[in-house]
Amino acid sequence: MTGVVRWAFAGLLAVLAFGLASVVLQIPGTGSALRSQVMAQLPQSGVDHAVTAVLLNFRGYDTFLELVVLLLALFGAWGLSDSIDEAPLDTDIDVLTELVAFLVPVLIVVAAYLLWVGAYSPGGAFQGGAVLAGAGVLLSLCDPGWRSRRVERIGEVLLVPGVLVFLLVGLASMLLGGQFLEYPRDMAGSLILLVEGFAMLSIAVTLHTLFAGTPRFGGGA
Amino acid sequence: MVGMTLVSWAFDIALGAALLWLAWRCLFTRNLFESVVLFVAFGLLMAIAWMRLEAPDVAMAEAAIGAGLTGALLMSALARLERPRTGQEEGR
C-alpha cells in the first residue's frame, strides 16, 4: 500500500473514530424517558423483567426479525461450505469424554432454567439457546457424528419452529383483534414463554449447525 | 467508603486497560490461533465489564455467545482453513 493511500485510510478512520466517540458521548444516561415508559408499561407485558418485556413484547418485531436473520445466516453458511470431512478430535483422553458426559445434562438443565427465569430476571431464549448449543459443540468435539446418528432429521427440522411459532403467535394476535405481535394481555406471559421455548430450540440448533457444518442431505452420514 | 470507591475505580481502570490491550493483541498478533484465544479472553473480560455497567442480560449473552460460541466457530473456521478440502484435487 502506498503512503498516500495509507494516510487517506488513517484520515478516514480518524473521522470514523471521532464520529463514534461523539455519538457515544451523546447517549442519554439513565435519565432517559424510555426507561420510565418501559417501567410504566411493565405490568401489562406479561413478564416481570424489563429486558424480556422489551425484547419479547414491546419490541417483539425486532426479535422476530433477529431470528429470521439467524436462519438466513445459516442458509448463507450452507451455501458457502462444501461438505467437510468431520475428523474427530483425536483425543482418547478419558477426561474429555467423562467431563462432557457430566456437563451435558447439567447444561440442558441450565438452559431450561435460563429460559424459565427470563420472565423474572436476566436470562431468556438467546442465552438458553447458546448454552444448549454449547452442549452440542462439546458433544461434537468428542464425537462429530453424534447428531446425524442420534436425531437424524429432527435436528434440521428444529431449525424452523423458532421463526414459525413466533410468526403464528403474531398472526393469531392479529386475529384476536390486535396488531401483529400485540399479545392479548392476559395471555401475554404464557405466549412469551411459548415463543421463547421454540426460539431457544431453534437458536440452539442453528448455532450448533453453524459449528458442526453442512448436513449431508440425501445420504446417510 | 472512600477505600471501596478507590478499589472499584482501580478495578475498572485495570479492566478497561486489559480490554484495550487484548483487543490490540487480538488484531495484530501474527498467529491466528493466538488471535482466537485472545478473542475469547476479550469476550470474557467484556462480560465482566457489562456486569460492572449493571447490564447482566448483556453480560450473559456476551459470555455465552460472544466468548463461547463465537470462539468455537472461529476455531472450527481456523481448522477448515488449515485442512485442505476433501473430495477435490489437493493443493493449488
Side-chain angles (χ1 to χ4, degrees):
Chain A
M1 215 171 359
T2 59
V4 182
V5 179
R6 227 170 234 243
W7 280 108
F9 264 120
L12 282 176
L13 280 177
V15 170
L16 183 65
F18 184 75
L20 277 176
S22 61
V23 167
V24 166
L25 288 176
Q26 281 170 23
I27 292 175
T30 46
S32 87
L34 280 175
R35 186 191 176 94
S36 55
Q37 275 184 35
V38 168
M39 286 308 169
Q41 299 294 321
L42 193 55
Q44 297 176 16
S45 68
V47 289
D48 294 330
H49 184 53
V51 175
T52 309
V54 171
L55 287 180
L56 270 301
N57 196 333
F58 305 150
R59 301 295 302 173
Y61 198 70
D62 293 356
T63 308
F64 170 63
L65 289 181
E66 221 169 282
L67 290 177
V68 176
V69 166
L70 195 60
L71 201 56
L72 288 178
L74 180 65
F75 292 160
W78 274 354
L80 286 174
S81 71
D82 298 336
S83 101
I84 285 157
D85 231 14
E86 297 170 331
L89 208 66
D90 58 2
T91 41
D92 289 331
I93 317 169
D94 288 337
V95 177
L96 183 68
T97 43
E98 289 287 319
L99 185 71
V100 169
F102 171 74
L103 270 181
V104 166
V106 176
L107 286 175
I108 292 172
V109 175
V110 169
Y113 171 75
L114 280 174
L115 174 70
W116 177 253
V117 87
Y120 316 98
S121 54
F126 272 88
Q127 287 87 337
V131 169
L132 265 189
V137 168
L138 282 178
L139 281 175
S140 292
L141 286 179
C142 289
D143 176 12
W146 72 273
R147 212 175 96 188
S148 44
R149 282 203 312 276
R150 292 283 158 113
V151 279
E152 290 175 15
R153 275 304 148 68
I154 301 170
E156 275 77 60
V157 171
L158 276 178
L159 289 169
V160 188
V163 170
L164 196 65
V165 170
F166 218 144
L167 184 67
L168 288 178
V169 167
L171 293 177
S173 46
M174 280 173 92
L175 284 181
L176 292 171
Q179 299 280 326
F180 182 65
L181 286 175
E182 185 185 344
Y183 316 124
R185 208 156 291 170
D186 41 345
M187 286 162 64
S190 14
L191 283 178
I192 287 176
L193 191 64
L194 179 77
V195 166
E196 278 205 298
F198 282 102
M200 181 177 85
L201 286 180
S202 291
I203 290 166
V205 177
T206 310
L207 292 175
H208 179 258
T209 311
L210 277 173
F211 177 81
T214 319
R216 286 162 199 201
F217 292 116
Chain B
M1 281 316 286
V2 177
M4 279 311 290
T5 326
L6 270 182
V7 168
S8 68
W9 266 96
F11 182 79
D12 288 350
I13 289 170
L15 188 60
L19 277 171
L20 285 175
W21 183 74
L22 279 175
W24 179 266
R25 288 288 319 268
C26 177
L27 288 174
F28 288 100
T29 184
R30 296 242 163 224
N31 184 345
L32 282 179
F33 178 79
E34 201 179 318
S35 198
V36 174
V37 173
L38 286 165
F39 179 84
V40 172
F42 176 86
L44 290 174
L45 283 194
M46 196 67 217
I48 298 177
W50 284 118
M51 276 316 284
R52 289 291 299 152
L53 291 166
E54 295 174 19
D57 290 85
V58 190
M60 222 184 279
E62 176 70 41
I65 299 177
L69 274 173
T70 315
L73 280 180
L74 288 173
M75 283 286 179
S76 77
L78 195 60
R80 277 161 210 207
L81 279 177
E82 283 163 0
R83 195 186 311 147
R85 289 176 177 179
T86 53
Q88 296 165 14
E89 64 269 55
E90 308 270 313
R92 263 167 284 179

